[in-house]
Amino acid sequence: MHLFLLGVSHRTAPVDLRERLDFSSRDLSAAAEAIAHRPSMSESVVLSTCNRSEIYVASSDPAQAREELVGFLSDYHHVPAQAFQPHLFALENSAAVAHLFRVAAGLDSLVVGEPQILGQVKDAYQTAAGKQCVGPVLSNAFRWSFGVGKRVRTETALGEGAVSVSFAAVSLARKIFGRLKGRRVLVVGAGEISSLTAQHLRTQGVGEIVITSRTQANAEALANEVGGLAVPWEGMIGALGSADIVITATGSQRPIITRAQLEASHGYRRGTPLFIIDVAVPRDVDPAIAEIEQVFLYNIDDLQSIVEENLSRRKAEVERAESIVNEEVTKFMAWQRSRTAVPTVVALRQRFEAIRRSELQRLEGKLGSLPPEARARVDEITRLIVEKLLLEPTEQLKALPDEETQAAYTEAVNRLFKLTDEDSLDDTRGKRSESPKQS
Amino acid sequence: MNTLPLLLYAAAGVAYAIHFARRDQAVGRTATTLLLFGALVHTFVIGMQTMEVRHVPFANPSRAVSTFVWLLTLSYLYLELTTDERSMGVFILPVIVGLQAIPAVYPGVEYRDAVLDSPWFWIHVSSLLFAYASFGLSGILGLTYVLQFKEIKKKHLGYFYTRLPSLQVLDVMNSRAVAVGWVFLTFGVVVGAVWTAQARGIDPTDPNLQAMSLDDPKIFVAMLTWGVYSFAVVARRTLGWSGRRAAWLSALGFAFAMLNFLAINYFVTTSHTFY
């Protein structure tokens, strides 16, 4: 059984094509189910985010699976196959596993190290599992990938540091104020960044968010969006006095907050910090304000350069993350191989056990006269001998370096011990129930 | 006897430094464990010395330093365990290790002056040592505040930004440490004054008591220290001297306290020589 992967991602396909092949807006579980029930495939997980649509399947015939999946994508999304075929990428077995691990670790993301992808991989797996579309091949690989994602996040700084302006602003606020609970926020001018920042601050549990804009309707719209309070433009300076965090984003050509205004409104709260985020261009806040001891003033360029620095720091971590992924792929493949040795090991044990039993049976006449304790001892000793004889071969079989060697050894063991001879296994009565149905 | 705690503190210091540099939680936990273990052994050492001389060992300057280190370690551990914040360890441990080296190298002998039989002695010294331990913490908190403040204010988010707690947390912890220290300093000084007055009635010829005045450097610098911290406490409430100003004040106050506790105590004072 092979692990086969077919998909498009931001690396291979433009956004309009990705949109057309996107599953997330449709019923993911139905898609997974439809795929898993095709003749050449026995398991399937569909991973679909705005940056990728990937189908992972277990198949005994990857070439056939590819053909069927292309047909499926074309039918399901009503897109002619030739429109997306050049943008498809297909991977098999260890390459597919490596890809899955890289995706889970955030290495394949548009913004390297972004944290959402691991949750999306988990969701995709859960959805497929909920429809009984996963078996040993995909469930082992996916479960392993969750561990890889976690490991990369804890052992490297790949996911560290804000990589968007609004998150950079929020993380700064947290370094200034600690917990943001109860902090008062003033938003001056409703724009995209100010709205995003206000939303992030809201999720951090800030207290009141006061919004003001020259256009009252804009202020009210944003107030509705983030659960804030819209105040008229004239109330801006008053609101400034009680704010801990100020976000300015107006289209004004001249500074709307001057040092004199701020000192007048903030005069009575000397000593408490004030964090001003000025994302407007041209700037809304007089730069001289930064000279006030407890005022921290960041403009859009400052935030942008933090974001860039964080991005480059993440990039520096990519190599370490990649080596973790490679290491995990090797470990996983070795583990898989040790699992493929399981049927042979089981058969070998059963064979030995059968011989032991039949020999004991044969000697029944001579052993019959022994007291029960001595008989139990004989049974125990013979069992231990068999265990000892098998210990080393078992370990060796599980630790073979690659599939070819594995096949050769399995073949040799099968021949040497006549393991394929079904009759010889009859005596075992399924004592060991490890599933031989492994890829 | 003070060597074993010193070695454990040094090991903890190394672990705190590695934890700080690499931000490795497991190393951080090792650091805390080593420090806890060091404090435990140190408690045992001080307990033995107490049994030996029948009072907590702090009449001799070296032993007083050892007791001070012990209090500082306990105060720091309290701070760390209550706030779950380990990044200060790398700053406090050099102070702990450096000071603990003094009693480890010069153990000193605890003599007993008859004038020290009063319970006031015990109260006076222990409240002052505890005040110094608080000031030690606040000094370190002040230093880390300044480091963090610089990076945020100058928009140069670097090494300390990611490792140190928020400005607010550092400032609040600093203000509490200063307040606690100030209360104990004030109390210790008042007890010392009362006790001196009493002792004069018992033995007016004692040369130590003769020297008890502001002319004595130890008493003078102690009052100066008290002045600095009193100003810090009042200025925070009335002038809004929080943040960086408060941080510098606490560092300055601690510098005075250490000047008194080490240089003056060992070499200069004429009023506090009980050994």
Side-chain angles (χ1 to χ4, degrees), chain A residues 130-180:
Chain A
K131 289 283 174 188
Q132 273 82 43
C133 294
V134 293
V137 176
L138 290 187
S139 76
N140 289 337
F142 271 82
R143 288 209 197 124
W144 200 292
S145 80
F146 306 156
V148 178
K150 204 174 157 206
R151 203 185 142 199
V152 166
R153 271 167 187 78
T154 50
E155 291 182 22
T156 72
L158 194 71
E160 268 180 32
V163 288
S164 72
V165 165
S166 51
F167 269 113
V170 173
S171 69
L172 266 167
R174 287 174 56 87
K175 276 290 174 183
I176 294 168
F177 296 107
R179 285 171 53 207
L180 296 179

Side-chain angles (χ1 to χ4, degrees), chain B residues 66-79:
Chain B
S66 169
T67 308
F68 165 72
V69 169
W70 178 66
L71 284 170
L72 182 61
T73 307
L74 292 183
S75 312
Y76 169 71
L77 279 169
Y78 171 78
L79 185 77

Side-chain angles (χ1 to χ4, degrees), chain B residues 196-216:
Chain B
T196 308
Q198 276 194 350
R200 279 198 174 124
I202 300 164
D203 181 8
T205 59
D206 189 305
N208 270 321
L209 291 175
Q210 298 283 333
M212 289 286 172
S213 77
L214 270 181
D215 294 341
D216 179 69

Side-chain angles (χ1 to χ4, degrees), chain A residues 175 271 290 292 295 297-298 302, chain B residues 152-153 155 161 164 167 242:
Chain A
K175 276 290 174 183
I292 304 174
V295 173
L297 171 62
Y298 277 69
D302 302 330
Chain B
I152 298 180
K153 186 85 174 176
K155 304 171 188 178
Y161 176 78
L164 291 177
L167 291 176
S242 60

